[in-house]
Amino acid sequence: MVSLLSVMLGLPQGDYIELHRKRHGYRHDHFERKRKKEAREVHKRSAIAQKVPPSSPVVHSFGPPGSYVFLLGFDDDYELCIHFRCTLNRCVQALGIKGKMFAKKRYAEKALMKKTLAMHEESTSRRKVDDDVQDGAVPAYLLDRENTTRAKVLSNTIKQKRKEKAGKWDVPLPKVRPVAEDEMFKVMRSGKRRTKQWKRMVTKATFVGPSFTRKPPKYERFIRPSGLRFNKAHVTHPELKATFNLEIIGVKKNPNGPMYTSLGVMTKGTIIEVNVSELGLVTPAGKVVWGKYAQVTNNPENDGCVNAVLLV
Amino acid sequence: MVQYNFKKITVVPPGKDFIDIILSRTQRQTPTVVHKGYAISRLRQFYMRKVKYTQQNFHEKLSTIIEEFPRLDDIHPFYGDLLHVLYNKDHYKLALGQVNTARNLISKIAKDYVKLLKYGDSLYRCKSLKVAALGRMCTVIKRIGPSLAYLEQIRQHMARLPSIDPNTRTVLICGYPNVGKSSFINKITRADVDVQPYAFTTKSLFVGHTDYKYLRYQVIDTPGILDRPFEDRNIIEMCSITALAHLRAAVLFFLDVSGSCGYSIAQQAALFHSIKSLFMNKPLIIVCNKTDLQPLEGISEEDMKLVMEMKAEAMKTVLGQGGEPTNDEGVLLTMSTLTEDGVIAVKNAACERLLNQRVEIKMKSKKINDCLNRFHVALPKPRDQKERPPCIPQAVMEARAKEAAEKEKRKTEKDIENENGGAGVYSASLKKHYILSNEEWKEDIMPEILDGHNVADFIDPDILLRLEELEREEGLRQAVEEDDDFEMDGKELTSEEQEALAEIRKKKSLLIQQHRIKKSTAESRPIVPRKFDKNKEFTTKRMGRQLSVLGLDPSLAINRARSRSLSRKGRKRERSPAYDGGDAMDVDVDTPKKKLRARSRSLSLSRSRSRPPSEVTPGEGFKDSAQKVKAIKLGKKSVKMRNKDARNGRGSNNDVLQSSRQLPKFARSYGGSSSIRFFIRRFMVAASKEAGNAFWSDKFTFTSFSLPGYMLFWQF
């Protein structure tokens, strides 16, 4: 493989093959062999696809990347496509993780290839031009009519308020699976004989405020293990389509009950308040918003992180 | 000494392959079977292991990348700058820095998820956590994909860099493009550099090796340099500049006097002056090439002036190294690589000047003291005018001369053969070198078979010697015997006295023997039991006889001895009779109190009787009394001292020679075999003490015993 650098800087001293070619030219059957090798490539690949050996060394190298370019460069190369489709149809799925990986890779390649082919096809085929209708365009027979407009103009703030009211409980995850108490808590035994069972340990992710201090263990009914405490969440802004790692301010509501809300348990569907000062959002009045609600969209205890969608 | 070999850097896999390698490794090398029913700690451990293992592998792989790629600040500045020119230091450092960050991130992720896994309460939860952990690690690697690709490209390019040792003897060739630098290196080394008639054929550094004065020199061909500001120079030119700046080498500045390279002498001189700061402290030679097209003498006045200016500049380097100002040879040289005219002269001049400079620097350095300390050349000062040549005795001189002459003169068999008609005609006589007592016997004919016997079987070369020896031995023995007789019989003793003497001697020897026997049976050794006392020597009768001879009354002693064997058993249990008066002493009296004893025993039995040893008591662990008896027996047997019954064992060292047949004949003739054995042993012990243990070799023979006098000496 000739790297970009060596192209730029000429032949390094160790590149004796290139030097030889430069001096004496290619081997007499070089191009013939190359052509044959390329032609053989598809067969080889299908053989691999049908039986990837458990530890095949060539799983990730299916010929030079240039071969795809070659394929895609020709619009009328349907035969190969058909060939691929056929092999796919009668293909025996290779076994194991390597087989799966291979199949997935091929699938992606083929999808890309089809898309590209379709694109090329589009450029050649003729069809009617279908221009978009401009906003406010009126057919000719209605041209003489006058349009009526609403007289009353709602102020921007009122509009905003209405919107907020209407969408108050309109959250991305309207329904969540209820979490039973025995799933939420683990019973801890205490006492010298381990017979007392009034202590509970929260098994879900929790948010614990920075100023929280534990009660003395004798009186502590609910234990929120420090390993499961989170104070940051990955919050996605649905309109910006961007995700930010924001600090959690508090748990607003846990759908499973007020007790969980007060404990700061974060399960799927919980509304949390996050610090959005980094985002630089501004209220209509021009103040910087710093706290906003977001809904947790994953099971934090299973994923090891809190993902949430900003409620806007 | 750092080896600048960038060929050993391991391959950097592209991001996707990297992930596949690591994940499949985790899959292969950690356990894969897990069930819901397992204890939760086991489940947690199972998944924690996977997370940890993946992290370790990532860490290992990324660490190799970070460690194996050279740090530009740590390597030789030549390589540091070269790599900077080729790959851009910032980009390079950024890529490595990203790899390092990724490594740290992955470690952190693993730590976090292992912590979370500790709270996992189900298989599902543990598994999801593991998936999340591995996924996040892979994402990190995916992000640094471009950096990995860049590093891989650099690795491939670095592996192909010529292996230049920056510290060795180096000759550096520089100049404008197309002035014949590559042709020159091709002439003096085996580096197969491409030569083409256009500029910038050589685009990177090339290295070749040549020999001068049995030393190896590294010759570096650099790409051509154009005369333009430093900032405008491209990568190719910068390679040359780097080499010029950092290598301590002899620099050959090539000048195309013909101008066929496309640049005039004036342009080339301008370049020379613009980069002359790079030639500081280096032996510099100006080489005028292509003299076949245009000899140096033929150039115009102005050009000549320029060349002379350059020469003056180059002379400064000579002066800087302490050379003489008049010595201008090896500063300006002409050659033609086409006709090979002056090529070797250029090489030699460059190598010579470089060598001189290096030696000089070494002599000036502090290290030289370490070397010089080891040298010592002793040159004694002449104390007077007298000449003191080495003294060789006249005889030695003569002998030497003679030896030499003899060596020359000595006639070989071959010479003789040639004199007598050559091979095939002359046959060499083997008999003439025989060593015989009489010279005349040499040519005698000796039969091989005589009277049906092989003569060789009967040849004994030293038969006479042995005969003589035997005779001498015999004579000695006779003399000793006579001596003995003389001693014994010399004194005039009466027959009674003689008898008494014989008696005394007999008794004496008997006592000695007995004493020795007694000595051999020391206290702890088993005594020969009676049944092996075959001769029945020790009888009561004998004792009585001996006692009566001494005038004592033996009856008591005999009785006691007899009773002893019987009484032993009884004595153990005997108690003093409690009510029978105070006669507790059990003494030898004529009337043994048999009745009384019997009564007392029966009484004592009835009074207290300990358990019979065979009775089984609970807790002892025996099944029945038979088993216990057996166990007791075994126990007793095992602690019993072994009685070898007077037999010989392996450990017994009481004799060296087992049978008299092993002794030489003369020894057998003296006394019985057993007594002789004894004496021989004594002798050997004494002899070994004298001569050390070397005497006891296999070669030990009985020749020493051939003198009976010794034997007798040792006997008494």
Side-chain angles (χ1 to χ4, degrees):
Chain A
M1 181 184 150
V2 183
S3 70
L4 189 73
L5 281 162
S6 18
V7 169
M8 193 167 65
L9 297 172
L11 301 173
Q13 196 164 14
D15 230 346
Y16 46 90
I17 293 176
E18 304 285 321
L19 189 67
H20 187 271
R21 275 187 188 153
K22 200 174 174 192
R23 281 179 186 163
H24 309 287
Y26 282 100
R27 218 182 125 129
H28 69 284
D29 58 348
H30 175 262
F31 293 102
E32 177 81 357
R33 278 157 62 97
K34 201 177 169 196
R35 184 186 61 76
K36 282 187 175 170
K37 203 173 180 183
E38 266 162 21
R40 198 70 217 156
E41 202 60 51
V42 281
H43 298 283
K44 263 191 186 162
R45 200 182 300 158
S46 84
I48 289 167
Q50 286 179 44
K51 47 160 193 176
V52 176
S55 60
S56 161
V58 284
V59 174
H60 302 294
S61 57
F62 311 107
S67 54
Y68 306 131
V69 179
F70 170 77
L71 267 179
L72 300 177
F74 291 87
D75 295 346
D76 53 352
D77 210 340
Y78 285 104
E79 284 168 22
L80 271 178
C81 281
I82 290 160
H83 171 79
F84 282 144
R85 202 171 298 149
C86 293
T87 48
L88 187 70
N89 288 341
R90 65 180 142 86
C91 176
V92 182
Q93 170 71 55
L95 293 176
I97 182 92
K98 298 264 161 100
K100 273 186 189 169
M101 273 154 62
F102 179 75
K104 200 176 173 192
K105 188 163 176 282
R106 284 299 292 152
Y107 178 81
E109 276 170 19
K110 280 175 199 166
L112 183 71
M113 187 157 58
K114 269 189 189 170
K115 249 187 208 169
T116 325
L117 285 175
M119 233 159 63
H120 283 286
E121 228 170 285
E122 231 172 59
S123 65
T124 47
S125 62
R126 288 165 169 272
R127 63 188 131 65
K128 252 184 153 180
V129 182
D130 188 32
D131 285 337
D132 282 338
V133 181
Q134 267 187 341
D135 227 12
V138 192
Y141 56 88
L142 287 179
L143 272 176
D144 53 341
R145 285 210 190 162
E146 272 190 6
N147 275 343
T148 53
T149 51
R150 253 181 116 151
K152 196 181 180 187
V153 181
L154 287 168
S155 75
N156 198 18
T157 46
I158 293 169
K159 255 193 207 168
Q160 194 70 28
K161 267 189 184 166
R162 272 194 186 173
K163 202 178 169 189
E164 267 176 23
K165 215 175 196 177
K168 197 163 189 187
W169 303 116
D170 183 17
V171 287
L173 290 177
K175 260 189 176 176
V176 287
R177 186 180 67 91
V179 182
E181 197 170 313
D182 57 343
E183 191 192 331
M184 193 75 93
F185 297 127
K186 191 182 154 198
V187 178
M188 305 284 285
R189 288 172 170 245
S190 57
K192 194 178 180 185
R193 302 270 157 253
R194 302 275 125 190
T195 47
K196 295 178 180 144
Q197 301 188 8
W198 53 269
K199 259 179 192 278
R200 299 284 181 271
M201 188 170 83
V202 183
T203 59
K204 305 284 176 191
T206 51
F207 169 74
V208 178
S211 58
F212 172 75
T213 40
R214 281 177 69 177
K215 280 179 186 157
K218 196 176 170 184
Y219 304 109
E220 190 178 36
R221 173 131 196 250
F222 295 106
I223 300 168
R224 292 174 285 183
S226 60
L228 288 174
R229 291 181 195 172
F230 290 88
N231 45 20
K232 285 218 164 188
H234 303 296
V235 182
T236 308
H237 196 293
E239 283 160 16
L240 297 174
K241 298 262 193 292
T243 308
F244 306 92
N245 194 6
L246 302 177
E247 250 178 58
I248 302 171
I249 297 168
V251 174
K252 175 76 182 161
K253 186 165 180 78
N254 189 315
N256 290 306
M259 187 175 70
Y260 302 131
T261 311
S262 61
L263 277 173
V265 179
M266 291 184 288
T267 52
K268 194 172 180 175
T270 307
I271 309 290
I272 55 174
E273 194 172 11
V274 290
N275 186 352
V276 289
S277 54
E278 281 173 42
L279 271 59
L281 297 180
V282 188
T283 54
K287 283 177 191 164
V288 174
V289 184
W290 69 280
K292 244 183 177 317
Y293 295 134
Q295 192 181 29
V296 176
T297 54
N298 70 335
N299 292 310
E301 76 280 0
N302 286 349
D303 294 347
C305 62
V306 183
N307 295 343
V309 178
L310 206 64
L311 304 179
V312 283
Chain B
M1 185 71 211
V2 193
Q3 282 298 312
Y4 290 102
N5 192 355
F6 302 130
K7 293 176 172 61
K8 282 179 190 157
I9 303 174
T10 35
V11 180
V12 182
K16 205 173 166 323
D17 283 8
F18 203 119
I19 291 166
D20 287 345
I21 288 165
I22 300 288
L23 291 187
S24 67
R25 208 175 145 83
T26 307
Q27 174 74 7
R28 277 184 288 117
Q29 308 216 327
T30 53
T32 50
V33 180
V34 71
H35 296 294
K36 247 195 315 194
Y38 286 172
I40 187 66
S41 57
R42 191 174 169 189
L43 291 174
R44 283 178 198 149
Q45 192 267 339
F46 176 89
Y47 286 109
M48 269 185 215
R49 182 172 176 180
K50 287 205 176 245
V51 171
K52 278 296 247 187
Y53 190 76
T54 314
Q55 183 261 333
Q56 275 164 10
N57 280 327
F58 269 125
H59 190 274
E60 206 172 285
K61 279 231 148 210
L62 294 173
S63 301
T64 10
I65 292 174
I66 292 164
E67 276 156 27
E68 285 189 339
F69 274 87
R71 279 188 203 168
L72 296 189
D73 301 332
D74 292 353
I75 53 176
H76 192 274
F78 163 66
Y79 270 112
D81 269 11
L82 187 66
L83 297 187
H84 171 55
V85 162
L86 292 173
Y87 316 127
N88 189 1
K89 200 175 180 177
D90 298 341
H91 200 166
Y92 179 83
K93 276 191 169 176
L94 214 67
L96 282 181
Q98 277 189 340
V99 172
N100 191 28
T101 316
R103 189 176 68 169
N104 293 340
L105 280 176
I106 284 171
S107 301
K108 216 176 138 202
I109 289 169
K111 207 178 127 203
D112 286 354
Y113 276 85
V114 166
K115 197 173 79 182
L116 282 169
L117 270 168
K118 284 179 189 164
Y119 294 99
D121 56 359
S122 62
L123 177 90
Y124 173 70
R125 200 163 146 189
C126 291
K127 191 173 179 174
S128 341
L129 282 170
K130 180 217 66 170
V131 168
L134 264 54
R136 280 181 69 177
M137 288 182 201
C138 292
T139 313
V140 169
I141 293 297
K142 222 189 259 172
R143 291 245 174 85
I144 62 161
S147 291
L148 293 175
Y150 168 78
L151 287 175
E152 171 63 10
Q153 264 202 348
I154 283 192
R155 184 194 69 81
Q156 285 179 358
H157 195 266
M158 275 209 287
R160 291 171 180 209
L161 283 179
S163 40
I164 296 169
D165 184 355
N167 298 314
T168 191
R169 296 168 290 275
T170 313
V171 175
L172 199 68
I173 308 167
C174 68
Y176 249 96
N178 213 13
V179 293
K181 298 184 293 295
S182 298
S183 314
F184 177 69
I185 197 179
N186 277 350
K187 284 278 179 288
I188 64 164
T189 71
R190 299 205 311 165
D192 196 11
V193 187
D194 201 19
V195 177
Q196 297 294 340
Y198 48 78
F200 289 115
T201 312
T202 309
K203 289 181 190 163
S204 58
L205 298 177
F206 281 77
V207 90
H209 291 93
T210 188
D211 275 8
Y212 176 70
K213 279 192 179 170
Y214 309 109
L215 287 172
R216 172 174 284 192
Y217 287 79
Q218 173 179 266
V219 185
I220 299 176
D221 181 22
T222 62
I225 315 169
L226 296 173
D227 183 21
R228 52 182 174 182
F230 189 75
E231 302 80 45
D232 293 350
R233 292 211 163 98
N234 57 20
I235 294 176
I236 299 171
E237 290 171 274
M238 284 308 288
C239 287
S240 307
I241 299 289
T242 313
L244 273 172
H246 293 295
L247 293 179
R248 270 228 233 108
V251 181
L252 301 182
F253 186 81
F254 271 48
L255 203 63
D256 183 359
V257 280
S258 70
S260 65
C261 63
Y263 305 99
S264 67
I265 292 179
Q267 278 172 309
Q268 294 180 46
L271 171 71
F272 178 86
H273 289 297
S274 69
I275 61 170
K276 76 184 167 193
S277 59
L278 297 174
F279 305 143
M280 291 285 281
N281 300 324
K282 286 171 199 165
L284 172 66
I285 296 173
I286 292 161
V287 181
C288 299
N289 197 10
K290 303 195 188 175
T291 47
D292 50 318
L293 294 175
Q294 167 83 58
L296 183 64
E297 295 75 40
I299 59 174
S300 65
E301 284 276 306
E302 297 141 32
D303 289 348
M304 200 60 187
K305 205 176 146 198
L306 287 171
V307 171
M308 282 306 132
E309 253 175 47
M310 283 156 70
K311 187 185 170 184
E313 210 44 67
M315 276 305 290
K316 281 183 191 167
T317 64
V318 177
L319 295 177
Q321 288 153 33
E324 292 164 31
T326 50
N327 183 15
D328 66 343
E329 62 181 21
V331 172
L332 181 70
L333 291 167
T334 57
M335 70 162 188
S336 162
T337 46
L338 188 71
T339 58
E340 296 195 21
D341 193 18
V343 169
I344 297 303
V346 169
K347 181 193 110 176
N348 289 351
C351 295
E352 184 65 42
R353 284 190 59 189
L354 179 67
L355 197 61
N356 287 343
Q357 191 216 18
R358 285 176 72 93
V359 168
E360 216 160 274
I361 288 172
K362 272 182 191 162
M363 291 301 285
K364 276 178 194 164
S365 71
K366 278 181 186 169
K367 275 185 195 167
I368 193 71
N369 281 335
D370 297 345
C371 295
L372 287 180
N373 283 342
R374 296 181 205 165
F375 284 123
H376 178 69
V377 182
L379 265 181
K381 271 184 192 165
R383 60 178 172 218
D384 45 31
Q385 297 303 316
K386 214 172 158 189
E387 191 81 6
R388 286 187 178 82
C391 171
I392 303 169
Q394 193 61 33
V396 173
M397 299 278 271
E398 274 170 17
R400 273 187 191 169
K402 210 174 156 190
E403 213 170 57
E406 226 166 61
K407 236 180 201 173
E408 280 168 20
K409 258 198 282 178
R410 198 184 152 203
K411 226 176 196 182
T412 60
E413 275 296 313
K414 198 172 183 186
D415 294 333
I416 299 167
E417 187 190 78
N418 288 337
E419 277 169 22
N420 294 322
V425 178
Y426 169 81
S427 76
S429 163
L430 297 172
K431 285 179 175 174
K432 71 181 173 190
H433 294 304
Y434 280 2
I435 301 164
L436 297 173
S437 37
N438 194 340
E439 282 292 306
E440 289 166 13
W441 296 348
K442 266 189 187 175
E443 298 301 322
D444 284 358
I445 298 162
M446 200 170 83
E448 277 185 36
I449 307 287
L450 195 69
D451 298 340
H453 296 290
N454 191 350
V455 171
D457 290 347
F458 296 93
I459 288 174
D460 190 356
D462 36 68
I463 193 161
L464 287 175
L465 206 74
R466 282 165 102 195
L467 182 67
E468 207 177 298
E469 213 168 68
L470 274 175
E471 275 170 355
R472 195 164 12 118
E473 198 180 304
E474 205 176 7
L476 262 174
R477 204 179 294 168
Q478 275 172 354
V480 168
E481 262 168 22
E482 276 166 16
D483 236 25
D484 273 3
D485 288 347
F486 176 75
E487 219 174 82
M488 297 302 267
D489 303 331
K491 278 171 188 159
E492 289 162 20
L493 295 172
T494 60
S495 60
E496 284 161 28
E497 276 172 337
Q498 274 179 3
E499 256 176 46
L501 184 66
E503 192 73 6
I504 288 166
R505 283 188 178 161
K506 199 178 160 192
K507 182 78 185 175
K508 225 178 180 179
S509 67
L510 210 71
L511 280 175
I512 290 170
Q513 269 182 21
Q514 277 173 346
H515 173 69
R516 278 176 190 156
I517 288 164
K518 210 173 157 190
K519 222 171 139 188
S520 70
T521 54
E523 292 158 29
S524 63
R525 284 189 203 156
I527 300 159
V528 181
R530 205 53 188 278
K531 65 176 175 179
F532 294 105
D533 182 18
K534 290 277 158 54
N535 302 338
K536 305 274 191 231
E537 278 175 332
F538 306 104
T539 56
T540 43
K541 255 183 211 167
R542 190 181 148 189
M543 183 168 73
R545 202 168 56 228
Q546 278 184 337
L547 283 174
S548 50
V549 163
L550 291 170
L552 297 167
D553 180 18
S555 59
L556 265 177
I558 290 170
N559 278 351
R560 184 182 154 81
R562 278 189 181 151
S563 70
R564 200 183 153 109
S565 57
L566 282 174
S567 69
R568 270 217 169 150
K569 270 181 207 163
R571 257 192 196 172
K572 249 197 243 169
R573 296 242 165 191
E574 201 173 36
R575 307 243 166 137
S576 53
Y579 56 92
D580 200 44
D583 196 0
M585 295 278 279
D586 188 20
V587 286
D588 291 326
V589 281
D590 283 304
T591 53
K593 300 171 185 168
K594 263 190 180 172
K595 251 186 183 173
L596 199 144
R597 250 185 220 163
R599 208 167 66 190
S600 76
R601 184 179 290 173
S602 67
L603 269 177
S604 71
L605 275 174
S606 68
R607 203 186 303 153
S608 105
R609 190 171 176 182
S610 60
R611 255 184 216 122
S614 62
E615 193 184 300
V616 181
T617 51
E620 269 180 334
F622 292 110
K623 192 167 65 184
D624 51 6
S625 67
Q627 199 187 26
K628 189 171 180 186
V629 167
K630 208 175 172 187
I632 290 167
K633 252 189 190 170
L634 274 174
K636 277 186 177 162
K637 210 175 174 185
S638 66
V639 299
K640 206 158 85 180
M641 189 90 94
R642 191 187 160 209
N643 190 341
K644 288 191 288 180
D645 294 345
R647 281 189 295 259
N648 271 335
R650 257 193 313 174
S652 54
N653 60 349
N654 52 359
D655 55 356
V656 174
L657 300 167
Q658 295 291 327
S659 85
S660 61
R661 250 175 290 147
Q662 291 171 336
L663 294 170
K665 259 182 194 163
F666 66 82
R668 235 186 290 166
S669 62
Y670 284 83
S673 62
S674 59
S675 66
I676 258 314
R677 215 180 292 159
F678 173 70
F679 291 131
I680 287 172
R681 199 168 114 216
R682 289 290 303 269
F683 176 77
M684 283 175 166
V685 171
S688 72
K689 270 177 195 159
E690 278 170 10
N693 285 334
F695 198 77
W696 282 108
S697 61
D698 294 337
K699 295 276 159 75
F700 185 78
T701 58
F702 288 100
T703 48
S704 326
F705 293 97
S706 57
L707 302 174
Y710 274 82
M711 307 272 309
L712 293 171
F713 173 74
W714 281 107
Q715 197 171 359
F716 298 104

